[in-house]
Amino acid sequence: MTQIVRDRHAALLGFAASATLLAAAVVTYLKDSLSSLGWQGGEYAYAFIWITIGLIVAGAVLRATAPSPWRSIGSGMAWAGAVGVLVVIVLIILFIVAFANWNP
């Protein structure tokens, strides 16, 4: 296995682990798992946003400072965080469009 293939697998691992974390936040919201702690929709949204920001920052730090396999994992984490940000932007746009077309 060459170094390039190893780095690609590491990047995929970083992306998959990060995407799983984001999916876990969504599933927690859908099942309302933290309602016993008083969480409502807003807290889940904040958690998702903070996870995406944390993934981007951690990915950038790993990409800049870590040795070889960790740089690729950091790259995958940053990509997953970027995808999370895109999901948030799309949801905000859909929310705005839905309210703009709403006729009570």
Side-chain angles (χ1 to χ4, degrees):
M1 184 179 289
T2 66
Q3 181 67 27
I4 294 172
V5 173
R6 208 171 302 137
D7 287 346
R8 284 185 184 165
H9 286 134
L12 181 62
L13 174 69
F15 183 86
S18 301
T20 302
L21 183 61
L22 291 171
V26 172
V27 169
T28 303
Y29 165 71
L30 293 175
K31 292 187 178 256
D32 204 16
S33 300
L34 299 176
S35 63
S36 63
L37 298 175
W39 279 43
Q40 297 175 356
E43 286 86 5
Y44 295 109
Y46 286 138
F48 187 88
I49 291 169
W50 281 112
I51 290 170
T52 60
I53 292 170
L55 288 173
I56 291 172
V57 169
V61 168
L62 279 174
R63 183 83 180 134
T65 62
S68 179
W70 289 100
R71 278 195 306 259
S72 297
I73 290 174
S75 179
M77 289 173 63
W79 275 106
V83 169
V85 168
L86 289 176
V87 167
V88 169
I89 290 170
V90 166
L91 289 175
I92 289 171
I93 290 170
L94 288 174
F95 187 74
I96 290 170
V97 168
F99 272 119
N101 294 326
W102 183 46
N103 294 322

